[in-house]
Amino acid sequence: VSAVFHSVTHTGEISFFVEGEWHVEGDSLIFHNDASSITIEEGDPGLVGNVAPRVAYPILNFDETTLRIERQGAIYDYHRRLE
């Protein structure tokens, strides 16, 4: 499934987008990022660093509208956009 990922640093120094794809593999949410597609929304492009081509996060729970994952010790809920 194609997607656009938005990243904002906790200090608000930079905000950027990167295109990619995601899928579920076993009990993990897998992101494949296209590092060549980075679009800087705000801040210094030099702060982006390296965009990992692939990242995986454990899925803690899911239902029809919410997917809960863990990233670096923090819990994130992704909510399905109902149109």
Side-chain angles (χ1 to χ4, degrees):
V1 175
S2 64
V4 175
F5 305 104
H6 183 214
S7 180
V8 180
T9 64
H10 67 282
T11 59
E13 295 171 340
I14 188 165
S15 174
F16 66 92
F17 295 89
V18 63
E19 294 180 18
E21 295 184 351
W22 66 268
H23 66 276
V24 174
E25 193 174 288
D27 63 353
S28 296
L29 180 63
I30 311 294
F31 294 107
H32 294 278
N33 298 310
D34 177 6
S36 68
S37 72
I38 293 174
T39 301
I40 306 298
E41 184 177 57
E42 184 178 328
D44 178 4
L47 296 175
V48 172
N50 295 324
V51 174
R54 180 187 183 277
V55 291
Y57 302 111
I59 297 172
L60 302 177
N61 196 350
F62 66 93
D63 61 26
E64 294 81 21
T65 59
T66 305
L67 173 69
R68 178 171 284 178
I69 66 168
E70 181 178 352
R71 279 178 48 188
Q72 298 172 337
I75 305 298
Y76 293 88
D77 287 338
Y78 290 90
H79 298 276
R80 176 186 237 167
R81 187 178 295 171
L82 302 174
E83 298 185 53

